[in-house]
């Protein structure tokens, strides 16, 4: 996996200047998928022992790196322990900390548009983002704002089983159904069965990593529902389908750009031990918009 094309590569110097971080550099570290454990350990050891390395944001390698380097971390947060992965490394008081920040990122993004009231959730996709989002929703405060039901759809049963095992550790009262399915027409039926005001999430990667959408063009969103496309670049088929119904079905449609920003800013807060309040976030978001890919809005 390569980092050179990430918008963050170009944006980080501007973010650093706005936040007054001083003379800091951003360096991508490219590793193949499922690299040898020693390669992960070499990277983490360099961060841990380097006088000038502050931390890291981890994308594709969250699980593999955590498993290979667990003994190198002096602190592991609850989400990292629960999910068996880390998306953020930072150093505090000479101690290397591993955190799984994706549920925090998911929460910050959801709270921008989802009302504080119960709703049904259809999450299309069962990967890391889906786990993070469902974990946040299952623990959302107040309790009255937690989903009345969550349905997770994924192509493979193994990934659903892994998600179920993580969910089981929460002892949550939220009813969850796990559906192994790869037929978009079945997803259309699940979509049709949702009540008004539901939350529908495309967490499949379809529309960015692979072509298409997890639903067909015949799929009908519930009236007044919230359609969340986690991608912000690519062909964005799911987003286009939701936008086509936005007026008629009174939909609230969101892409993944703010999710991307919250993900980076949450890690920056942790690595540099600072707080990005709403005013700073707005300024950073305005700076970032120049790098936002063109596409349907």
């Amino acid at each position: 996996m390569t980092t050179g094309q990430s918008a963050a590569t170009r944006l980080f110097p501007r973010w650093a200047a706005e936040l007054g971080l001083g003379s800091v550099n951003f360096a991508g570290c490219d590793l193949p998928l499922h690299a040898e454990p020693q390669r992960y350990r070499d990277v983490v050891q360099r961060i841990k022992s380097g006088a000038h390395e502050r931390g890291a944001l981890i994308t594709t390698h969250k699980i593999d790196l955590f498993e290979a380097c667990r003994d190198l971390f002096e602190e592991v947060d609850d989400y990292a322990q629960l999910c068996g992965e880390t998306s953020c490394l930072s150093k505090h008081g000479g101690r290397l900390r591993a955190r799984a920040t994706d549920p925090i990122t998911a929460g910050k993004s959801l709270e921008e548009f989802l009302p504080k009231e119960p709703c049904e959730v259809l999450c299309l996709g069962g990967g890391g983002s889906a786990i993070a989002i469902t974990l946040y929703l299952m623990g959302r405060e107040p309790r009255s704002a937690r989903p009345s039901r969550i349905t997770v759809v994924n192509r493979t049963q193994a990934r659903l089983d892994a998600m179920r095992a993580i969910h089981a550790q929460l002892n949550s009262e939220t009813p969850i159904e796990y559906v192994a399915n790869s037929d978009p027409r079945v997803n259309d039926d699940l979509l049709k069965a949702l009540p008004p005001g539901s939350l529908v999430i495309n967490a499949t990667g379809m529309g960015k990593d692979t072509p298409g959408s997890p639903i067909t063009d015949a799929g009908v969103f519930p009236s007044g529902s919230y359609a969340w496309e986690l991608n912000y670049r690519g062909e964005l088929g799911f987003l286009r389908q939701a936008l086509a119904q936005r007026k008629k079905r009174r939909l609230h449609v969101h892409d993944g750009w703010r999710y991307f920003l919250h993900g980076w800013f949450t890690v920056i807060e942790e690595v540099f031990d600072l707080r990005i309040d709403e005013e700073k976030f707005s300024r950073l978001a305005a700076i970032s918009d120049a790098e936002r890919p063109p596409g349907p809005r």
Side-chain angles (χ1 to χ4, degrees):
M1 299 298 293
T2 59
T3 57
Q5 296 303 311
S6 172
T9 303
R10 299 179 293 277
L11 285 169
F12 186 83
R14 303 178 216 171
W15 293 338
E18 178 64 31
L19 293 170
L21 299 183
S23 180
V24 295
N25 294 319
F26 173 85
C29 181
D30 299 336
L31 292 172
L33 283 172
H34 308 302
E36 291 295 320
Q38 189 59 47
R39 298 193 66 177
Y40 293 119
R41 292 181 67 85
D42 289 343
V43 171
V44 172
Q45 189 62 60
R46 187 168 69 245
I47 294 171
K48 182 174 182 175
S49 59
H52 302 292
E53 281 77 6
R54 296 292 300 264
L57 179 143
I58 303 154
T59 55
T60 308
H61 308 278
K62 298 170 186 175
I63 295 175
D64 289 340
L65 184 144
F66 186 80
E67 291 179 348
C69 304
R70 177 65 183 84
D71 61 302
L72 298 177
F73 307 133
E74 280 89 16
E75 297 180 28
V76 176
D77 81 346
D78 291 343
Y79 280 134
Q81 196 71 47
L82 179 66
C83 299
E85 66 176 45
T86 178
S87 51
C88 173
L89 301 182
S90 60
K91 294 192 291 189
H92 299 269
R95 297 169 61 83
L96 183 63
R97 178 186 298 174
R99 297 189 66 193
T101 55
D102 289 354
I104 299 170
T105 296
K108 290 179 178 179
S109 303
L110 281 166
E111 295 302 341
E112 289 187 338
F113 65 82
L114 191 65
K116 286 280 193 181
E117 55 191 42
C119 68
E120 285 206 22
V121 178
L122 174 61
C123 184
L124 301 168
S129 294
I131 292 173
I133 292 167
T134 53
L135 285 177
Y136 177 78
L137 287 170
M138 292 165 70
R140 194 183 189 198
E141 294 295 341
R143 296 176 67 91
S144 60
R146 294 175 186 177
S148 54
R149 183 178 185 84
I150 297 175
T151 301
V152 181
V153 183
N154 195 71
R155 292 176 297 174
T156 63
Q157 184 64 47
R159 192 175 287 275
L160 291 173
D161 291 342
M163 177 186 276
R164 188 199 301 266
I166 293 172
H167 287 165
Q169 297 179 61
L170 296 183
N171 296 315
S172 172
E173 298 176 355
T174 302
I176 305 181
E177 182 179 2
Y178 305 89
V179 180
N181 171 60
S182 59
D183 186 343
R185 294 169 298 181
V186 173
N187 293 338
D188 286 355
D189 291 339
L190 293 171
L191 190 67
K192 184 178 180 180
L194 291 172
S198 294
L199 170 63
V200 185
I201 307 163
N202 177 26
T204 64
M206 295 184 73
K208 179 177 77 74
D209 300 325
T210 59
S213 167
I215 62 173
T216 76
D217 287 341
V220 179
F221 286 85
S223 175
S225 61
Y226 297 81
W228 192 17
E229 165 67 85
L230 294 193
N231 302 315
Y232 66 88
R233 57 185 173 86
E235 65 175 41
L236 302 174
F238 178 88
L239 182 66
R240 294 179 186 276
Q241 290 166 327
L243 289 172
Q245 299 181 41
R246 179 165 58 182
K247 184 175 181 179
K248 183 177 181 179
R249 305 294 297 169
R250 297 182 292 107
L251 306 183
H252 309 270
V253 183
H254 302 271
D255 70 4
W257 180 247
R258 301 280 287 190
Y259 188 51
F260 164 77
L261 293 180
H262 277 299
W264 269 98
F265 298 161
T266 298
V267 171
I268 288 173
E269 285 181 313
E270 170 69 15
V271 170
F272 293 98
D273 196 20
L274 55 83
R275 180 176 178 271
I276 298 175
D277 58 21
E278 290 186 15
E279 182 181 349
K280 286 181 182 178
F281 185 98
S282 296
R283 294 202 304 268
L284 293 168
I287 291 170
S288 306
D289 277 347
E291 290 290 339
R292 184 173 184 175
R297 305 283 172 81

